[in-house]
Amino acid sequence: MTSATQIKEAAPVDAAHYQQFLPRTGPPRVRALREAAMGRFTEIGFPATHMEDWRFLNIAPIARCGFVAPAQDGPEPSVGELGRLRFGAMPGSLFVFVNGRFRNALSQIGSLPEGVLVLDLAEAVGTHEALVRPHLGRYAGYENESFTALNTAMIDGGLFVYVPRGTVVKDPIHVLNVTSPQPQPLLTNPRMLVVAGESCQVTVIEDYVALNDGIYLTNAVTEFLVEENATATHYRLERESREAFNVSTLRVQQQRDSTFTSHAVLLGGAIVRNNVDPVLAGEGCDSLINGVYLLRDAQVVANHMRLEHADAHCSSRQFYKGIMSGRSRGMFRGRIIVRPGAQKTDAVQSNQNLLLSLDASANSDPQLEIYADDVKCTHGSTIGQLDADALFYLRSRGISEEAARALLIYAFAAESLERMKIEPIRALAAREL
């Protein structure tokens, strides 16, 4: 197994290294999309700290690592291991991917409403091209995004979710992405496309876990189209190996009177970058971006939000909370853009951070970019430690220091956790506090 020390000392890898893993199958349009994205990735390479959006996150350990594609016959989790990896028993369907490949035998596909499609993206490209073609690669632009370009170049499977007009999918669609590390550092590029039709309701859970420790990169891209009056909810759970790297990008396109909710629970990984980019493209849209990141040891997590109000009478809320201990570093960069004509915008952005050790650190950079004059926009951030007076008060009532600290930490995170409607996910996060 390649060690972290070896990666640190390795020479940078040219982007052309990844061309040998470019998939060669699929319809002409998909092959052309891959080749264009690979060309762009080769041109721009990995981002560096002199770039504004990456100045607080040094990804040299990722850029220097000569990742390889997954072996076709790699080990898979047993039924027992799969049960251990799941965060709790839930109704609904379970779709399992191992090292980026859909595993039907490990999945539990329950009954879905008539007309709902949930299938491997590679299959959907061939059998439902008319549903996939207008949207794949449309919302997650790769022209200036290195990791999105790399993911797009490697499109070869993934998940396609289509919910037709007026359909209510009552139970969540749970997508479990399992990485089984190999002797050489592994690269997987999970891809998901969700089309939520007019006036429908759907919840999708993206869950990233590892069979065991190891160095690998999960480079995930999810595209979401939320059509008129639809309600869509997305959860991202990141529980990777503590040696792993995870870069995830969620791009959302909302149409008139739609509602979109994003929840993130970020727990694992050595270096994690979480991008959430909704576009409120029609009047009357509502968006909630909510998340908790819990860091230990030397973990580094960077959250980047870019929420665009492109039309009038839209509302958005961003609430992210970070808890850092050890020598960990948490970062938040939130940008709200209000386009000309997006009058009556109502936007709130908040980032709060709790430092549990002297060596932990947080960077918070909330931003507003407003080109309309009849709006209500606020933003703010806080970075602090546990309240010494509150801790003393609890201790004076006979509560141990450990229990008092746990109570205060939970109280800090509780507001964000309570916004998450799925109880097993709240319980998962609470156990990590």
Side-chain angles (χ1 to χ4, degrees):
M1 184 75 69
T2 303
S3 70
T5 301
Q6 288 173 317
I7 286 182
K8 184 177 180 181
E9 296 173 351
V13 176
D14 190 275
H17 165 79
Y18 296 95
Q19 291 182 352
Q20 62 185 305
F21 309 124
L22 190 70
R24 307 297 177 183
T25 60
R29 181 186 176 277
V30 174
R31 295 200 302 270
L33 178 64
R34 290 184 192 129
E35 291 171 2
M38 178 54 74
R40 186 57 178 158
F41 175 69
T42 302
E43 181 181 354
I44 63 178
F46 284 108
T49 53
H50 69 266
M51 300 177 180
E52 181 64 22
D53 281 348
W54 294 86
R55 61 193 178 101
F56 292 120
L57 182 62
N58 183 359
I59 63 152
I62 299 177
R64 291 172 181 160
C65 192
F67 295 105
V68 300
Q72 295 294 324
D73 56 352
E76 294 191 359
S78 65
V79 174
E81 287 174 318
L82 197 63
R84 175 179 59 83
L85 294 172
R86 298 183 67 178
F87 59 81
M90 289 199 330
S93 299
L94 174 69
F95 295 84
V96 178
F97 289 77
V98 179
N99 289 349
R101 297 287 182 181
F102 176 59
R103 297 296 186 258
N104 186 68
L106 297 174
S107 302
Q108 300 172 13
I109 304 174
S111 60
L112 294 167
E114 183 179 357
V116 174
L117 298 175
V118 185
L119 66 160
D120 185 27
L121 184 58
E123 178 185 347
V125 166
T127 60
H128 297 84
E129 185 182 4
L131 295 177
V132 176
R133 180 170 46 81
H135 309 294
L136 183 62
R138 178 177 177 182
Y139 311 113
Y142 59 79
E143 290 78 8
N144 299 305
E145 301 290 342
S146 301
F147 287 97
T148 302
L150 179 59
N151 178 286
T152 303
M154 299 295 176
I155 289 178
D156 185 25
L159 196 69
F160 174 60
V161 178
Y162 172 76
V163 183
R165 175 180 180 179
T167 302
V168 175
V169 183
K170 181 179 178 182
D171 296 322
I173 296 169
H174 184 189
V175 186
L176 183 63
N177 292 277
V178 182
T179 299
S180 177
Q182 298 176 175
Q184 292 180 281
L186 183 68
L187 168 65
T188 63
N189 293 277
R191 187 81 179 207
M192 185 158 65
L193 170 62
V194 181
V195 178
E198 183 179 343
S199 302
C200 80
Q201 296 180 31
V202 64
T203 296
V204 178
I205 303 170
E206 278 189 82
D207 192 2
Y208 294 91
V209 297
L211 266 183
N212 45 58
D213 290 336
I215 298 172
Y216 59 88
L217 168 61
T218 300
N219 177 33
V221 172
T222 298
E223 296 179 287
F224 240 103
L225 172 64
V226 189
E227 295 187 348
E228 290 188 14
N229 202 42
T231 299
T233 302
H234 175 265
Y235 288 82
R236 171 165 281 133
L237 309 182
E238 188 278 309
R239 304 184 281 150
E240 303 271 27
S241 159
R242 289 295 178 86
E243 299 178 274
F245 309 117
N246 182 291
V247 179
S248 62
T249 298
L250 172 64
R251 295 288 172 84
V252 185
Q253 189 81 4
Q254 290 186 241
Q255 296 183 354
R256 184 185 183 97
D257 295 324
S258 64
T259 299
F260 180 79
T261 301
S262 165
H263 298 291
V265 178
L266 310 177
L267 304 174
I271 297 177
V272 175
R273 166 93 173 202
N274 172 43
N275 303 304
V276 183
D277 302 333
V279 178
L280 284 62
E283 284 194 18
C285 292
D286 184 76
S287 179
L288 169 63
I289 311 300
N290 178 59
V292 176
Y293 44 110
L294 312 173
L295 314 184
R296 297 180 174 86
D297 303 322
Q299 287 180 274
V300 178
V301 171
N303 298 285
H304 279 243
M305 316 287 124
R306 185 184 186 279
L307 195 150
E308 181 178 344
H309 284 259
D311 212 331
H313 299 279
C314 294
S315 172
S316 67
R317 298 291 184 267
Q318 295 182 49
F319 302 109
Y320 258 62
K321 292 194 174 187
I323 301 173
M324 278 69 71
S325 62
R327 295 179 292 110
S328 63
R329 292 192 297 125
M331 286 160 269
F332 175 88
R333 181 170 185 155
R335 185 179 176 195
I336 296 175
I337 303 172
V338 182
R339 296 297 183 192
Q343 307 294 355
K344 303 297 181 180
T345 287
D346 182 2
V348 174
Q349 181 187 86
S350 172
N351 173 232
Q352 297 176 292
N353 298 277
L354 181 62
L355 304 182
L356 300 180
S357 72
L358 294 177
D359 293 324
S361 65
N363 295 93
S364 186
D365 184 16
Q367 301 178 9
L368 297 176
E369 188 175 326
I370 302 173
Y371 301 100
D373 55 10
D374 187 6
V375 302
K376 183 169 65 174
C377 298
T378 63
H379 65 172
S381 67
T382 61
I383 301 173
Q385 299 175 320
L386 288 176
D387 188 324
D389 291 338
L391 190 60
F392 176 80
Y393 175 83
L394 293 173
R395 293 291 309 281
S396 71
R397 295 303 185 267
I399 300 174
S400 69
E401 182 175 359
E402 182 180 359
R405 286 173 62 88
L407 281 172
L408 292 176
I409 293 170
Y410 181 82
F412 174 81
E415 185 180 11
S416 287
L417 296 182
E418 288 169 0
R419 294 189 184 101
M420 303 178 188
K421 304 304 181 185
I422 298 178
E423 193 281 330
I425 294 180
R426 294 198 306 268
L428 167 70
R431 287 194 298 269
E432 297 292 329
L433 296 175

